[in-house]
Amino acid sequence: MRELGIIRHGAMIVEDGILRATGTRTEIEPLIPREAEVLDAGGRVILPGFVDAHTHAVFAGHRANEFEMRIAGASYQEIAASGGGIRSTVRLTRAATEDELFQSASHRLPWFLAGGTTTLEIKSGYGLSLEDECKMLRVIRRLRESTPLDIVATFLGAHEVPDEYRHAPQEYLRVVIEEMIPTVARENLAEYCDVFCEDHVFTVEQAREVLTAARRHGLRARVHADQLANTGGAAMAAQVGAATADHLEHIDDDGIAALGDSEVQPILLPASVYALGLRRYPPARQMIDAELAVVVASDFNPGSSPVPSMPLIISLACTQMRMTPAEAITAATVNAAHSLDRSKETGSLEPGKYANFTIFDAADYREIAYWAGAPLTWRVYIRGRLTYRAGLAM
Ligand SMILES: [Zn+2]
C-alpha cells in the first residue's frame, strides 16, 4: 500500500474517455496525435479519482440540532432512544417525494467532486418500507443516469427497525427478506446488500439471514460491523463471503484473523469517529500489518458523518489511524475500487481504464493529507471529461 508507482514529469494520453498510455513526458510526447488537445498540469499532482465506497448520500433534511446536542454531552445512543438519530431521517425521507430527494442529493454531489471523488457508492436505508426503500434506490439510479459520477447502489433495508415494527423486529426482517430483497433484485435496483449489525439493531444471526437471502437473489454483501461494540460482525462477514466489513472500531484479534482468512476488505470510516467526538478509531495499522486490503471511505450521512471530503478522510487516516499518506491514498483509490468490483475500470491510472483523475494544486502528494481542509482540488476529469474545476462545477 506504500508503493504508489509515482511517475515524475509524467504524462498520459486519453482517448474516448479511456487512458491509452501513461509514462514520462519523454516517453509519451512522441505518441501524442497531431490533432490532440494538450493540457499542461503545470507540475501539479495527478491522482486517480477517489472511490468513496461507503456513503448514505440520499436523505431528506439534516441533523445539525443533534450535532449541537452531542456537543452538550448527549450520546449517539441517547439521541436515538429519544426518537432522533436515524429514525428522524427516516421520517423526513418517507415524507419526501422522489423528486425532492433527487434534488437534495443532486445539490450535494458537487461536494464530492470538490474533493476529487469520481466514484460513489450510495446506500438506501432511510425508507425502511418496500415503497420507500425502492423510492430511494430509484433516486440513486437517477443520479447515476443524470450525473457524470460513477454511482454504485447498495440496498440497506436492514439499517434500523422502523417505529411500526419496534415491538416485532423479527416481522420487519421477514419483510426485508421476503418482499424487499426479491423486489430490489428483480428490478435491478442495487448491486449490493448491506446490514447494520450492532447491539440493539440487528444481531449477527439476523444479519447473516439477510445477507444469505440477498446472495440467493444475486446481491453481494457489505456489512456495518463492530462499530459501537464488538459483536463478531467481522467474523460473520467472512463466513457469508461479504465483499466488505465496514466501520470495525471495535474489531478484536479474532475478527482481524477472520478477515485475513477471507476475501473481505475492511472499510474504515474515520470521519464518523471524528464527528461523533469519539476517541476509538479502528486499528488500521494492525490490519495493514495483517496484509488486509484496507479501504477508507467517508460514510457521508446526516448523523454520524456529515463529511463528503475524501482529502479530509485521508488526513484523518494519517493523523488518527497512523496510516502513511501513501497508504491512505491506496485505500481511497485502487483498494476502494476493488471493494466495489470496479478495479478493472477505475482506481488507478493504467492504460485501458477510464480516464478518471484529479489534478491537485500541490507539488507533492503528501500535501493532500497535510493541508487539512484546504481546497486543493484543481480539476476533476471523469471518463476524460472535465467535470469540476476549482470553484466551478459543470
Ligand atoms: Zn454507514
Side-chain angles (χ1 to χ4, degrees):
M1 289 177 67
R2 289 190 182 189
E3 181 45 69
L4 294 184
I6 293 168
I7 302 171
R8 290 179 199 286
H9 308 293
M12 53 194 193
I13 294 178
V14 173
E15 189 185 2
D16 298 331
I18 305 289
L19 277 171
R20 295 297 179 203
T22 59
T24 63
R25 187 172 170 156
T26 324
E27 289 164 343
I28 294 297
E29 243 161 18
L31 309 175
I32 298 174
R34 194 191 305 270
E35 69 282 9
E37 178 193 341
V38 176
L39 170 71
D40 181 356
R44 294 177 177 84
V45 170
I46 304 184
L47 289 185
F50 293 130
V51 176
D52 191 346
H54 182 137
T55 83
H56 308 253
V58 170
F59 54 84
H62 65 76
R63 305 211 311 252
N65 55 330
E66 293 174 16
F67 177 73
E68 191 174 38
M69 283 166 72
R70 283 201 305 272
I71 293 164
S75 74
Y76 189 71
Q77 291 95 324
E78 283 163 359
I79 290 167
S82 70
I86 290 174
R87 290 153 70 200
S88 73
T89 300
V90 170
R91 283 193 295 276
L92 294 171
T93 303
R94 283 178 170 182
T97 66
E98 195 173 312
D99 278 343
E100 287 166 345
L101 287 175
F102 176 76
Q103 294 305 335
S104 64
S106 300
H107 172 76
R108 292 186 291 261
L109 285 190
W111 301 356
F112 293 91
L113 285 173
T117 296
T118 58
T119 303
L120 194 62
E121 186 257 18
I122 307 179
K123 302 173 196 297
S124 68
Y126 296 121
L128 308 186
S129 69
L130 176 63
E131 186 189 338
D132 292 308
E133 284 295 307
C134 288
K135 176 176 74 180
M136 286 190 73
L137 291 168
R138 285 195 301 271
V139 170
I140 297 169
R141 180 161 67 191
R142 262 175 84 181
L143 293 169
R144 181 171 56 238
E145 288 167 355
S146 64
T147 72
L149 279 152
D150 282 328
I151 292 176
V152 181
T154 297
F155 166 64
L156 179 55
H159 193 194
E160 174 59 287
V161 178
D163 287 342
E164 62 275 21
Y165 286 97
R166 196 109 296 257
H167 300 290
Q170 201 59 35
E171 268 179 53
Y172 179 64
L173 272 192
R174 294 266 71 79
V175 175
V176 171
I177 290 170
E178 290 169 16
E179 295 178 29
M180 295 187 195
I181 288 173
T183 306
V184 167
R186 189 175 57 243
E187 297 187 12
N188 211 6
L189 285 169
E191 278 180 59
Y192 290 92
C193 177
D194 195 339
V195 182
F196 201 76
C197 179
E198 195 68 52
D199 277 347
H200 309 298
V201 192
F202 296 104
T203 65
V204 163
E205 278 320 307
Q206 290 171 326
R208 188 198 313 274
E209 229 188 309
V210 170
L211 297 175
T212 306
R215 192 162 68 177
R216 278 202 304 274
H217 285 88
L219 300 173
R220 287 200 66 199
R222 313 176 87 77
V223 193
H224 283 68
D226 299 338
Q227 179 186 6
L228 302 168
N230 186 297
T231 63
M236 183 275 295
Q239 285 158 10
V240 302
T244 68
D246 305 35
H247 273 296
L248 307 175
E249 286 84 337
H250 289 262
I251 194 171
D252 58 12
D253 292 348
D254 290 346
I256 291 175
L259 296 186
D261 290 337
S262 74
E263 298 290 311
V264 184
Q265 285 184 262
I267 299 194
L268 312 183
L269 309 166
S272 63
V273 184
Y274 160 76
L276 290 176
L278 301 176
R279 297 279 179 274
R280 182 165 173 161
Y281 286 84
R285 283 256 56 88
Q286 209 186 327
M287 295 185 203
I288 292 170
D289 291 345
E291 299 188 340
L292 302 184
V294 170
V295 177
V296 293
S298 71
D299 194 20
F300 178 74
N301 75 77
S304 59
S305 182
V307 179
S309 162
M310 286 302 285
L312 188 53
I313 299 301
I314 286 168
S315 183
L316 289 169
C318 294
T319 59
Q320 307 302 306
M321 303 198 295
R322 308 183 72 83
M323 292 170 69
T324 66
E327 287 169 341
I329 285 169
T330 300
T333 54
V334 67
N335 283 9
H338 185 76
S339 85
L340 290 170
D341 197 21
R342 294 294 191 279
S343 56
K344 290 195 177 67
E345 300 169 16
T346 194
S348 62
L349 299 177
E350 292 176 83
K353 291 194 181 188
Y354 288 132
N356 295 344
F357 61 92
T358 300
I359 307 176
F360 291 96
D361 208 355
D364 181 322
Y365 73 91
R366 293 171 298 187
E367 292 180 66
I368 294 158
Y370 167 71
W371 303 115
L376 296 188
T377 307
W378 189 61
R379 291 187 184 185
V380 180
Y381 289 78
I382 300 179
R383 302 191 188 197
R385 295 181 65 167
L386 179 62
T387 307
Y388 177 91
R389 71 161 61 145
L392 179 66
M394 291 184 287

